[in-house]
mmCIF file of all heavy atoms in Angstrom:
data_model
loop_
_atom_site.group_PDB
_atom_site.id
_atom_site.type_symbol
_atom_site.label_atom_id
_atom_site.label_comp_id
_atom_site.label_asym_id
_atom_site.label_seq_id
_atom_site.Cartn_x
_atom_site.Cartn_y
_atom_site.Cartn_z
ATOM 1 N N VAL A 51 100.240 85.391 103.381
ATOM 2 C CA VAL A 51 99.806 86.545 102.553
ATOM 3 C C VAL A 51 100.993 86.958 101.722
ATOM 4 O O VAL A 51 102.112 87.102 102.265
ATOM 5 C CB VAL A 51 99.320 87.685 103.441
ATOM 6 C CG1 VAL A 51 98.915 88.872 102.571
ATOM 7 C CG2 VAL A 51 98.164 87.204 104.315
ATOM 8 N N PRO A 52 100.885 87.107 100.383
ATOM 9 C CA PRO A 52 102.018 87.529 99.589
ATOM 10 C C PRO A 52 102.462 88.914 99.984
ATOM 11 O O PRO A 52 101.610 89.798 100.277
ATOM 12 C CB PRO A 52 101.501 87.431 98.167
ATOM 13 C CG PRO A 52 99.992 87.446 98.265
ATOM 14 C CD PRO A 52 99.659 86.823 99.564
ATOM 15 N N SER A 53 103.797 89.110 100.010
ATOM 16 C CA SER A 53 104.269 90.438 100.384
ATOM 17 C C SER A 53 104.258 91.332 99.155
ATOM 18 O O SER A 53 104.309 90.884 98.035
ATOM 19 C CB SER A 53 105.719 90.261 100.946
ATOM 20 O OG SER A 53 106.576 89.789 99.918
ATOM 21 N N PHE A 54 104.102 92.600 99.447
ATOM 22 C CA PHE A 54 104.031 93.595 98.404
ATOM 23 C C PHE A 54 105.057 94.724 98.721
ATOM 24 O O PHE A 54 105.298 95.028 99.842
ATOM 25 C CB PHE A 54 102.653 94.226 98.305
ATOM 26 C CG PHE A 54 101.694 93.417 97.494
ATOM 27 C CD1 PHE A 54 100.867 92.479 98.067
ATOM 28 C CD2 PHE A 54 101.652 93.589 96.119
ATOM 29 C CE1 PHE A 54 100.007 91.718 97.339
ATOM 30 C CE2 PHE A 54 100.769 92.818 95.344
ATOM 31 C CZ PHE A 54 99.964 91.917 95.953
ATOM 32 N N SER A 55 105.593 95.250 97.653
ATOM 33 C CA SER A 55 106.361 96.457 97.785
ATOM 34 C C SER A 55 105.778 97.479 96.791
ATOM 35 O O SER A 55 105.102 97.074 95.809
ATOM 36 C CB SER A 55 107.804 96.277 97.485
ATOM 37 O OG SER A 55 108.003 95.831 96.179
ATOM 38 N N SER A 56 106.031 98.728 96.971
ATOM 39 C CA SER A 56 105.471 99.728 96.047
ATOM 40 C C SER A 56 106.536 100.100 95.001
ATOM 41 O O SER A 56 107.696 100.128 95.284
ATOM 42 C CB SER A 56 105.022 100.926 96.786
ATOM 43 O OG SER A 56 106.041 101.462 97.579
ATOM 44 N N CYS A 57 106.024 100.328 93.802
ATOM 45 C CA CYS A 57 106.956 100.667 92.673
ATOM 46 C C CYS A 57 107.620 101.991 92.966
ATOM 47 O O CYS A 57 106.979 102.951 93.379
ATOM 48 C CB CYS A 57 106.074 100.755 91.388
ATOM 49 S SG CYS A 57 107.050 101.270 89.948
ATOM 50 N N SER A 58 108.922 102.012 92.672
ATOM 51 C CA SER A 58 109.675 103.239 92.946
ATOM 52 C C SER A 58 109.326 104.269 91.873
ATOM 53 O O SER A 58 109.636 105.458 92.058
ATOM 54 C CB SER A 58 111.164 102.982 92.924
ATOM 55 O OG SER A 58 111.548 102.408 91.697
ATOM 56 N N ASN A 59 108.775 103.893 90.751
ATOM 57 C CA ASN A 59 108.472 104.820 89.661
ATOM 58 C C ASN A 59 107.082 105.368 89.753
ATOM 59 O O ASN A 59 106.875 106.561 89.666
ATOM 60 C CB ASN A 59 108.657 104.149 88.296
ATOM 61 C CG ASN A 59 108.538 105.085 87.168
ATOM 62 O OD1 ASN A 59 109.215 106.130 87.096
ATOM 63 N ND2 ASN A 59 107.673 104.796 86.168
ATOM 64 N N CYS A 60 106.071 104.493 89.964
ATOM 65 C CA CYS A 60 104.692 104.989 89.945
ATOM 66 C C CYS A 60 103.978 104.731 91.292
ATOM 67 O O CYS A 60 102.868 105.213 91.470
ATOM 68 C CB CYS A 60 103.908 104.319 88.816
ATOM 69 S SG CYS A 60 103.678 102.562 88.982
ATOM 70 N N GLY A 61 104.583 103.964 92.184
ATOM 71 C CA GLY A 61 103.962 103.771 93.508
ATOM 72 C C GLY A 61 102.922 102.648 93.571
ATOM 73 O O GLY A 61 102.358 102.416 94.647
ATOM 74 N N THR A 62 102.680 101.970 92.495
ATOM 75 C CA THR A 62 101.708 100.904 92.487
ATOM 76 C C THR A 62 102.269 99.727 93.332
ATOM 77 O O THR A 62 103.445 99.426 93.223
ATOM 78 C CB THR A 62 101.458 100.403 91.038
ATOM 79 O OG1 THR A 62 101.117 101.534 90.246
ATOM 80 C CG2 THR A 62 100.375 99.373 90.975
ATOM 81 N N PRO A 63 101.382 99.084 94.069
ATOM 82 C CA PRO A 63 101.831 97.860 94.818
ATOM 83 C C PRO A 63 102.262 96.793 93.804
ATOM 84 O O PRO A 63 101.539 96.512 92.873
ATOM 85 C CB PRO A 63 100.614 97.440 95.645
ATOM 86 C CG PRO A 63 99.772 98.613 95.721
ATOM 87 C CD PRO A 63 100.034 99.408 94.480
ATOM 88 N N LYS A 64 103.396 96.188 94.027
ATOM 89 C CA LYS A 64 103.900 95.195 93.128
ATOM 90 C C LYS A 64 104.627 94.109 93.914
ATOM 91 O O LYS A 64 104.944 94.285 95.082
ATOM 92 C CB LYS A 64 104.847 95.808 92.096
ATOM 93 C CG LYS A 64 106.149 96.295 92.647
ATOM 94 C CD LYS A 64 107.119 96.692 91.579
ATOM 95 C CE LYS A 64 108.547 96.789 92.073
ATOM 96 N NZ LYS A 64 109.046 95.460 92.563
ATOM 97 N N LEU A 65 104.865 92.959 93.314
ATOM 98 C CA LEU A 65 105.581 91.877 93.937
ATOM 99 C C LEU A 65 107.093 92.284 93.997
ATOM 100 O O LEU A 65 107.597 92.738 92.965
ATOM 101 C CB LEU A 65 105.403 90.565 93.221
ATOM 102 C CG LEU A 65 104.022 89.983 93.247
ATOM 103 C CD1 LEU A 65 103.907 88.785 92.356
ATOM 104 C CD2 LEU A 65 103.592 89.601 94.654
ATOM 105 N N PRO A 66 107.728 92.037 95.100
ATOM 106 C CA PRO A 66 109.186 92.305 95.176
ATOM 107 C C PRO A 66 109.956 91.411 94.189
ATOM 108 O O PRO A 66 109.590 90.278 93.927
ATOM 109 C CB PRO A 66 109.585 92.045 96.608
ATOM 110 C CG PRO A 66 108.460 91.223 97.166
ATOM 111 C CD PRO A 66 107.252 91.551 96.404
ATOM 112 N N HIS A 67 111.031 91.967 93.607
ATOM 113 C CA HIS A 67 111.918 91.278 92.667
ATOM 114 C C HIS A 67 111.239 91.089 91.297
ATOM 115 O O HIS A 67 111.725 90.292 90.487
ATOM 116 C CB HIS A 67 112.459 89.940 93.175
ATOM 117 C CG HIS A 67 113.009 90.046 94.537
ATOM 118 N ND1 HIS A 67 114.197 90.694 94.829
ATOM 119 C CD2 HIS A 67 112.568 89.636 95.748
ATOM 120 C CE1 HIS A 67 114.433 90.629 96.159
ATOM 121 N NE2 HIS A 67 113.452 89.963 96.709
ATOM 122 N N LYS A 68 110.076 91.731 91.068
ATOM 123 C CA LYS A 68 109.388 91.594 89.804
ATOM 124 C C LYS A 68 109.212 93.047 89.208
ATOM 125 O O LYS A 68 109.076 93.970 89.961
ATOM 126 C CB LYS A 68 107.988 90.995 89.988
ATOM 127 C CG LYS A 68 107.999 89.627 90.646
ATOM 128 C CD LYS A 68 108.569 88.600 89.723
ATOM 129 C CE LYS A 68 108.563 87.236 90.421
ATOM 130 N NZ LYS A 68 109.344 86.226 89.673
ATOM 131 N N ALA A 69 109.171 93.075 87.872
ATOM 132 C CA ALA A 69 108.934 94.356 87.236
ATOM 133 C C ALA A 69 107.497 94.863 87.555
ATOM 134 O O ALA A 69 106.617 94.049 87.762
ATOM 135 C CB ALA A 69 109.145 94.201 85.735
ATOM 136 N N CYS A 70 107.345 96.146 87.578
ATOM 137 C CA CYS A 70 106.033 96.699 87.936
ATOM 138 C C CYS A 70 105.019 96.366 86.799
ATOM 139 O O CYS A 70 105.300 96.546 85.626
ATOM 140 C CB CYS A 70 106.168 98.224 88.077
ATOM 141 S SG CYS A 70 104.606 99.070 88.308
ATOM 142 N N PRO A 71 103.855 95.881 87.201
ATOM 143 C CA PRO A 71 102.834 95.546 86.146
ATOM 144 C C PRO A 71 102.273 96.778 85.496
ATOM 145 O O PRO A 71 101.720 96.696 84.380
ATOM 146 C CB PRO A 71 101.816 94.729 86.890
ATOM 147 C CG PRO A 71 101.918 95.187 88.339
ATOM 148 C CD PRO A 71 103.389 95.511 88.538
ATOM 149 N N GLU A 72 102.305 97.891 86.159
ATOM 150 C CA GLU A 72 101.746 99.151 85.620
ATOM 151 C C GLU A 72 102.638 99.837 84.652
ATOM 152 O O GLU A 72 102.274 100.125 83.512
ATOM 153 C CB GLU A 72 101.359 100.087 86.772
ATOM 154 C CG GLU A 72 100.150 99.636 87.594
ATOM 155 C CD GLU A 72 98.861 99.672 86.751
ATOM 156 O OE1 GLU A 72 98.665 100.636 85.978
ATOM 157 O OE2 GLU A 72 98.086 98.723 86.876
ATOM 158 N N CYS A 73 103.905 100.113 85.083
ATOM 159 C CA CYS A 73 104.786 100.939 84.246
ATOM 160 C C CYS A 73 105.917 100.124 83.660
ATOM 161 O O CYS A 73 106.655 100.620 82.814
ATOM 162 C CB CYS A 73 105.304 102.124 85.057
ATOM 163 S SG CYS A 73 106.344 101.664 86.434
ATOM 164 N N GLY A 74 106.107 98.892 84.094
ATOM 165 C CA GLY A 74 107.167 98.056 83.529
ATOM 166 C C GLY A 74 108.551 98.351 84.050
ATOM 167 O O GLY A 74 109.508 97.866 83.495
ATOM 168 N N TYR A 75 108.648 99.165 85.115
ATOM 169 C CA TYR A 75 109.978 99.554 85.609
ATOM 170 C C TYR A 75 110.450 98.555 86.628
ATOM 171 O O TYR A 75 109.676 97.900 87.367
ATOM 172 C CB TYR A 75 109.875 100.943 86.276
ATOM 173 C CG TYR A 75 110.178 102.093 85.319
ATOM 174 C CD1 TYR A 75 109.350 102.346 84.248
ATOM 175 C CD2 TYR A 75 111.255 102.916 85.543
ATOM 176 C CE1 TYR A 75 109.630 103.375 83.382
ATOM 177 C CE2 TYR A 75 111.542 103.935 84.675
ATOM 178 C CZ TYR A 75 110.705 104.186 83.600
ATOM 179 O OH TYR A 75 110.965 105.218 82.715
ATOM 180 N N HIS A 76 111.772 98.351 86.604
ATOM 181 C CA HIS A 76 112.389 97.561 87.649
ATOM 182 C C HIS A 76 113.821 98.058 87.825
ATOM 183 O O HIS A 76 114.545 98.257 86.861
ATOM 184 C CB HIS A 76 112.416 96.047 87.218
ATOM 185 C CG HIS A 76 112.986 95.129 88.272
ATOM 186 N ND1 HIS A 76 112.430 95.028 89.532
ATOM 187 C CD2 HIS A 76 114.097 94.333 88.292
ATOM 188 C CE1 HIS A 76 113.130 94.176 90.255
ATOM 189 N NE2 HIS A 76 114.139 93.746 89.504
ATOM 190 N N ARG A 77 114.184 98.295 89.074
ATOM 191 C CA ARG A 77 115.493 98.877 89.472
ATOM 192 C C ARG A 77 115.779 100.130 88.667
ATOM 193 O O ARG A 77 116.892 100.315 88.138
ATOM 194 C CB ARG A 77 116.583 97.834 89.254
ATOM 195 C CG ARG A 77 116.552 96.707 90.274
ATOM 196 C CD ARG A 77 117.678 95.739 90.083
ATOM 197 N NE ARG A 77 118.966 96.410 90.261
ATOM 198 C CZ ARG A 77 119.932 95.951 91.002
ATOM 199 N NH1 ARG A 77 119.788 94.819 91.629
ATOM 200 N NH2 ARG A 77 121.086 96.559 91.108
ATOM 201 N N GLY A 78 114.808 101.025 88.571
ATOM 202 C CA GLY A 78 115.019 102.341 88.036
ATOM 203 C C GLY A 78 115.023 102.460 86.558
ATOM 204 O O GLY A 78 115.327 103.546 86.041
ATOM 205 N N ARG A 79 114.758 101.422 85.835
ATOM 206 C CA ARG A 79 114.642 101.577 84.383
ATOM 207 C C ARG A 79 113.528 100.681 83.852
ATOM 208 O O ARG A 79 113.132 99.733 84.497
ATOM 209 C CB ARG A 79 115.998 101.227 83.679
ATOM 210 C CG ARG A 79 116.349 99.823 83.782
ATOM 211 C CD ARG A 79 117.744 99.506 83.208
ATOM 212 N NE ARG A 79 118.038 98.070 83.270
ATOM 213 C CZ ARG A 79 117.780 97.273 82.249
ATOM 214 N NH1 ARG A 79 117.277 97.686 81.122
ATOM 215 N NH2 ARG A 79 118.051 95.953 82.358
ATOM 216 N N GLN A 80 113.034 101.025 82.626
ATOM 217 C CA GLN A 80 111.934 100.288 82.088
ATOM 218 C C GLN A 80 112.503 98.979 81.439
ATOM 219 O O GLN A 80 113.362 98.991 80.573
ATOM 220 C CB GLN A 80 111.225 101.083 81.017
ATOM 221 C CG GLN A 80 109.875 100.475 80.590
ATOM 222 C CD GLN A 80 108.993 101.471 79.899
ATOM 223 O OE1 GLN A 80 109.446 102.463 79.428
ATOM 224 N NE2 GLN A 80 107.711 101.110 79.841
#
Side-chain angles (χ1 to χ4, degrees):
V51 179
S53 62
F54 276 93
S55 63
S56 54
C57 176
S58 58
N59 187 53
C60 66
T62 307
K64 68 171 197 63
L65 293 172
H67 310 290
K68 305 289 179 188
C70 174
E72 287 295 317
C73 64
Y75 268 64
H76 185 60
R77 289 183 61 132
R79 68 186 183 91
Q80 191 162 19

